[in-house]
Amino acid sequence: MVLVPAKDMLIKARKEGYAVGHFNINNLEWTKAILEVAEEAKSPVILGVSEGAAKYMTGFKTVADMVKAMVESMGITVPVALHLDHGSYEGTKKAIEAGFSSVMFDGSHYPFEENIEKSKEMIELAHSKGLSIECEVGSIGGEEDGVIGSGELADPNECKTMADLGIDFLAAGIGNIHGKYPENWAGLSFETLEKISEVTGGIPLVLHGGSGIPTDQIKRAISLGVSKVNVNTECQLAFAAATREYIEAGNDVKGFDPRKLLNPGFNAIKAMVHTKIDIFGSRNKA
């Protein structure tokens, strides 16, 4: 199974009322854990890569080549998309060149007209290479790899303008934020989501900052057209907690081999991804 664009899996998800998980990868362990779970659960999956994570792994080409080789050598049979998360103007071009199957161009920090112009250019480029593309209106709050947004609510009319450009799926701010949610968080704005869903012609919608949103809110968002939910922080927290437990128990004195040291965290990521796939409803949907 080669890498596929995310478009078809998300159109199917939107039609059938579930969402596909977009899980960010940070290294080989992360990638292997998520691919193993997707295969076990017979679920389509989107592997998300931020520009910071790509840089850490020595570049987009290294990531693309690693993921393709792993999909092949692990005998993965479910649809897998390799997706650039919050791509800059230059970063999006580089990921397309490197062999990603899907990209997100995030122009939400530009004035709206400039976001539209740059998005048009990226849509044309991505589609000319057979990739799917996500764009964003109304920035997502919090911070992810240096990308900081205040968590504003997207304007449904701007969402319609963006959707009409021919993007494959849309990220719209509905009060969601990256990272850990503060205790005084107001929750998702379903009123905004309903309006966006109404005016964007059935395009799959994306929920960024999916870590830490209560399950009932995620399920309601899916019922209103969210077909892709991004998860990163929760996998990181699970990995860190399991690794800490292993070391604090003194297991690293004998099990210092990195394959042993990283194994508890690896299993914790797997457990988290299984849980999320069940919440999103994508098990057995490959």
Side-chain angles (χ1 to χ4, degrees), residues 135-138 140 152 154 159 170-176 196 205-206 208:
C135 293
E136 183 172 321
V137 177
I140 311 302
E152 63 205 54
C159 290
L170 172 72
I174 54 169
N176 41 324
I196 292 168
L205 303 174
V206 180
H208 280 254

Side-chain angles (χ1 to χ4, degrees), residues 51 84 87-96 103-105 122:
E51 292 196 19
L84 172 65
S88 63
Y89 182 76
E90 290 303 327
T92 303
K93 288 180 177 176
K94 285 177 183 164
I96 291 171
V103 289
M104 173 192 187
F105 167 64
M122 290 303 165

